[in-house]
């Protein structure tokens, strides 16, 4: 019997999309942010927003550390480039 999905709470405005994003491996924060934006603006409007950022591989280690600092990723100062990229992608 599959495990029952946990209710994300009243702050999530589109629980169906939230659960889909969580099942894809996104963080709770990112899933809630996307689900709430989609509920407010419509799913197609949110989907059209992306695509303006360059690849992490094209950035310098310092640029990656700055982005990691914006997201408050712990241990960023001692991470290699590949570790920073992995941490940023999985935040």
């Amino acid at each position: 019997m599959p495990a029952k999905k946990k209710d994300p709470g009243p702050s999530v405005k589109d629980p169906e999309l939230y659960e889909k994003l969580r099942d894809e491996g996104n963080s709770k924060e990112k899933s809630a942010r996307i689900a709430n934006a989609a509920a407010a603006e419509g799913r197609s409007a949110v989907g059209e927003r992306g695509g303006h950022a360059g690849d992490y591989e094209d950035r310098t280690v310092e640029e990656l550390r700055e982005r990691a600092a914006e997201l408050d990723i712990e241990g960023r100062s001692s991470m290699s480039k590949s570790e920073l990229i992995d941490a940023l992608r999985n935040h």
Side-chain angles (χ1 to χ4, degrees):
M1 185 163 128
K4 183 180 177 196
K5 297 280 185 186
K6 187 176 178 185
D7 182 18
S11 63
V12 174
K13 307 303 181 210
D14 187 340
E16 180 183 328
L17 180 57
Y18 173 85
E19 287 302 328
K20 181 180 176 193
L21 292 164
R22 290 291 291 143
D23 290 343
E24 291 175 359
N26 291 297
S27 70
K28 291 178 182 179
E29 178 184 327
K30 182 177 181 180
S31 298
R33 188 172 54 241
I34 294 169
N36 289 343
E41 302 169 30
R43 289 184 181 186
S44 61
V46 173
E48 291 173 0
R49 270 200 241 150
H52 63 278
D55 291 332
Y56 283 137
E57 286 80 9
D58 296 337
R59 298 183 189 186
T60 66
V61 172
E62 187 55 36
E63 290 170 329
L64 294 170
R65 284 197 177 121
E66 287 174 12
R67 180 64 181 140
E70 292 171 7
L71 298 174
D72 200 30
I73 294 174
E74 293 185 24
R76 63 188 173 269
S77 63
S78 62
M79 289 183 184
S80 67
K81 185 172 183 173
S82 62
E83 290 170 327
L84 283 164
I85 291 170
D86 185 56
L88 288 166
R89 285 189 174 145
N90 295 305
H91 175 263

